[in-house]
Amino acid sequence: MVWIWASIFLLAVQALAKDYDYISISNPFLNKTPVAVTSFKAFSGHEAEVAAGAQAEQILKAGLDFTGYLKIMDPTAFLSNPGESGIQLGQINFKDWTGIGAELLVTGGVEELDGQVKLQLRLMDTFNTKLLVGKIYSGPTTQIRAMVHRFCAEVAKALTGNFGVFGSKIAFVSTVNGNKEIYSCDFDGFNPRQITHHKSISLSPAWSHDGQWLAYVSYAKGKPDIFIKNLRENLGAIVNYKGINISPDWMPGKLNLAATLSFSGDQEIYLLTRKGEIIKRVTKSWGSNVSPKFSPDGRMIAFTSSRSGNPQIYIQGLDSEEAQRVTFTGRYNTSPAWSPDGKKIAYVGIEKNKINIFVISVYPHIGNPVQLTAEQGDNEDPCWSPDGTLIVFKSKRNGGRANLFVMTAAGTDQRRLLSMPGLQSEPDWSGDTGF
């Protein structure tokens, strides 16, 4: 457990901090904000303390860099070293930092005793010489990563108004000994953990809004059924109506699901309870209706339908039987994923035999699609981060092998998320599940 001691800094932050001009993370032409992260001050200076500080510094840099809107500055350009001179506001010569173009400064200090550490972390606005965030975290050395990420979340909140991705997880599919199983990992690909052990084909993981439930499809019983699993308690259900039971998605704020069932003969979308009981049928149309995704307010569903002949993206209100077609460019569009602000939908489109990820505005009106990936293998399965700044997806750009990648919502900074054996696909990004 991580203990947070903020009282030391509370009055200082209230007295010195002012509203920072928020970084507009939805701006597709966003320039990264330069931030200097200094080496940690080891207050006692013994070997274990220095090592803990170095570990915390690297985790901090990687976490802030992962956001896509911060640029970690090269320490060789630094004119002073707070790790030696002092990490507090009154000990900083801000001209040393504005002079090299650092708009933000992060300083840290560490105390270590018998496997317990206390981290002091500060975020400062160099041009206004203000303390924006000041926190102290205490706990065992095994919790350094969690402590630093808790601070990164505070940094994100101060800069963007949103706590960001640091308390979130990603569920995904990975091959294991010829089978497909569900895994989860931290937001940045660390700590992958196998969740299912069906020794079969498991697909389409979906997090509930509170991160306690996971729904997924498995062929463990011979045909595609939906398994609903509580990750903390021995609770769950199986949706095994006649025919196929696929593509689950949780309703925001509630423990209801949308899913595609075919017991009626057609592939239609239904609203279900967490026990798999049918609440209502949503779609009533010729053709296949699959891959439902709830809008952030839970009032609408985006889905893929072949009602016009080829697969296209549609949206429909839960209280309506009328669906609105969203995509008109390209003959094959599928796998919709609604942005957290409800204004855009990412999806997969096939053009000229190339499979890529696109994004299209749907509010206040339907816009033109923007292509985010190109000329780097097939790219599929897009899913937004909970703050809307990033998109995780599957790509075959590494020699045709499927791996998970992440990019900004504008399509920049495309990089591999994690490296592990097997093939990975179908990522689903949770909300904040805690540290």
Side-chain angles (χ1 to χ4, degrees):
M1 181 176 181
V2 180
W3 293 95
I4 306 173
W5 300 85
S7 57
I8 291 178
F9 290 148
L10 182 57
L11 293 177
V13 172
Q14 289 176 335
L16 296 175
K18 69 172 186 176
D19 289 339
Y20 187 82
D21 290 335
Y22 281 174
I23 295 173
S24 177
I25 54 179
S26 62
N27 181 3
F29 305 106
L30 175 69
N31 290 320
K32 294 186 180 184
T33 301
V35 54
V37 179
T38 69
S39 58
F40 276 53
K41 183 177 181 63
F43 288 105
S44 298
H46 58 77
E47 185 176 346
E49 196 169 83
V50 172
Q55 178 187 359
E57 179 190 347
Q58 292 306 311
I59 294 171
L60 179 59
K61 287 180 177 179
L64 297 180
D65 183 65
F66 190 85
T67 64
Y69 54 78
L70 294 174
K71 177 183 178 182
I72 309 301
M73 299 187 67
D74 186 344
T76 61
F78 296 175
L79 302 177
S80 58
N81 182 9
E84 297 178 356
S85 58
I87 61 174
Q88 298 183 43
L89 187 68
Q91 298 171 317
I92 303 297
N93 182 355
F94 284 101
K95 290 183 179 180
D96 287 346
W97 303 101
T98 57
I100 62 171
E103 296 182 24
L104 299 167
L105 172 68
V106 177
T107 65
V110 58
E111 298 176 64
E112 190 277 342
L113 181 64
D114 296 332
Q116 297 289 313
V117 294
K118 180 183 289 186
L119 299 180
Q120 291 188 27
L121 292 160
R122 294 171 172 85
L123 171 70
M124 303 176 197
D125 176 349
T126 60
F127 286 96
N128 292 308
T129 65
K130 299 291 184 182
L131 179 67
L132 299 177
V133 179
K135 296 289 181 180
I136 293 178
Y137 303 91
S138 295
T141 54
T142 56
Q143 292 295 307
I144 288 178
R145 177 175 163 84
M147 296 184 216
V148 172
H149 284 162
R150 201 178 278 269
F151 176 73
C152 288
E154 296 289 348
V155 170
K157 177 67 172 177
L159 301 181
T160 70
N162 189 300
F163 283 113
V165 300
F166 299 100
S168 64
K169 293 185 180 296
I170 296 173
F172 59 96
V173 175
S174 185
T175 54
V176 183
N177 297 323
N179 300 309
K180 291 187 176 182
E181 302 286 1
I182 307 299
Y183 279 71
S184 73
C185 65
D186 292 349
F187 71 93
D188 54 358
F190 277 70
N191 300 322
R193 179 174 69 92
Q194 187 172 342
I195 295 177
T196 65
H197 297 81
H198 291 302
K199 296 181 180 180
S200 180
I201 299 174
S202 296
L203 306 166
S204 307
W207 294 101
S208 64
H209 69 278
D210 57 5
Q212 295 188 29
W213 295 81
L214 195 69
Y216 60 93
V217 175
S218 181
Y219 285 72
K221 295 184 178 296
K223 71 179 185 69
D225 296 321
I226 296 172
F227 286 65
I228 302 171
K229 179 182 179 66
N230 187 296
L231 299 180
R232 300 182 183 180
E233 302 177 32
N234 188 26
L235 298 173
I238 301 177
V239 182
N240 57 356
Y241 294 100
K242 179 183 176 180
I244 65 170
N245 306 272
I246 59 172
S247 56
D249 188 57
W250 292 92
M251 178 181 285
K254 294 184 178 181
L255 291 178
N256 295 331
L257 303 97
T260 292
L261 314 178
S262 69
F263 65 87
S264 68
D266 295 325
Q267 295 183 22
E268 302 287 357
I269 295 171
Y270 292 79
L271 186 64
L272 311 174
T273 70
R274 71 168 179 82
K275 295 182 179 180
E277 301 159 336
I278 294 175
I279 299 173
K280 64 179 294 186
R281 179 172 168 174
V282 178
T283 58
K284 298 177 181 179
S285 169
W286 173 88
S288 297
N289 300 282
V290 298
S291 304
K293 291 293 181 182
F294 279 101
S295 62
D297 61 8
R299 296 179 179 178
M300 303 188 74
I301 290 179
F303 60 97
T304 303
S305 179
S306 62
R307 64 187 66 188
S308 61
N310 295 310
Q312 297 292 341
I313 308 299
Y314 291 77
I315 56 176
Q316 179 177 328
L318 279 183
D319 297 326
S320 171
E321 294 185 2
E322 296 296 324
Q324 180 180 10
R325 183 170 167 177
V326 173
T327 53
F328 292 88
T329 302
R331 297 187 60 198
Y332 195 109
N333 298 297
T334 187
S335 303
W338 223 304
S339 65
D341 63 5
K343 295 181 179 180
K344 297 178 180 180
I345 290 176
Y347 65 94
V348 175
I350 301 178
E351 290 188 356
K352 299 178 180 178
N353 295 321
K354 303 285 187 178
I355 305 175
N356 280 297
I357 294 171
F358 297 76
V359 66
I360 189 168
S361 295
V362 293
Y363 181 85
H365 52 76
I366 295 175
N368 294 317
V370 176
Q371 187 170 338
L372 299 185
T373 60
E375 306 301 330
Q376 295 192 78
D378 293 339
N379 302 278
E380 302 176 79
D381 305 340
C383 181
W384 298 78
S385 65
D387 65 347
T389 61
L390 301 166
I391 294 174
V392 64
F393 61 101
K394 177 190 82 174
S395 181
K396 292 185 177 180
R397 63 189 63 187
N398 285 342
R401 294 179 59 83
N403 299 121
L404 298 188
F405 283 72
V406 69
M407 61 182 167
T408 69
T412 62
D413 290 4
Q414 297 184 18
R415 69 270 195 193
R416 189 168 173 178
L417 178 70
L418 79 167
S419 180
M420 60 181 289
L423 308 176
Q424 292 78 48
S425 62
E426 298 191 89
D428 189 62
W429 213 321
S430 78
D432 194 328
T433 62
F435 292 86

